[in-house]
Amino acid sequence: MAIEPLVPYSPPSDLMPLREIHDLLQRTGHAASLRDIKNWIRKDELDTVRYRGVPHVSWSDILLAHREAVLAGDI
């Protein structure tokens, strides 16, 4: 019999600080502001982790939110 994990999801292994995510997205043809990124975090209820007082979020989750914003024509 399989045992269900205590945590229903595995924690992301690609956590990055918001500032670094912002800097990477500036290099794309569809740059996003810090406000955009924070709105995506709120809207999609993305998990954030504070490390040494700096908020970190999953790069993969932000890329998905960025893709949705580009396809919707928001940025």
Side-chain angles (χ1 to χ4, degrees):
M1 180 165 121
I3 299 172
E4 288 196 38
L6 296 176
V7 180
Y9 60 91
S10 59
S13 61
D14 61 347
L15 294 175
M16 294 177 63
L18 292 183
R19 177 59 67 182
E20 190 172 336
I21 289 172
H22 173 262
D23 292 343
L24 288 172
L25 290 177
Q26 294 307 306
R27 299 177 189 169
T28 68
H30 302 282
S33 67
L34 274 175
R35 176 177 280 164
D36 291 332
I37 296 168
K38 289 177 182 179
N39 286 338
W40 300 336
I41 292 169
R42 251 183 261 110
K43 181 182 69 106
D44 296 339
E45 298 178 353
L46 303 179
D47 292 326
T48 58
V49 175
R50 284 199 171 273
Y51 179 69
R52 296 186 178 175
V54 178
H56 288 62
V57 68
S58 169
W59 173 237
S60 304
D61 290 343
I62 292 296
L63 284 178
L64 291 174
H66 182 257
R67 181 192 67 180
E68 294 301 319
V70 170
L71 291 175
D74 295 339
I75 57 170

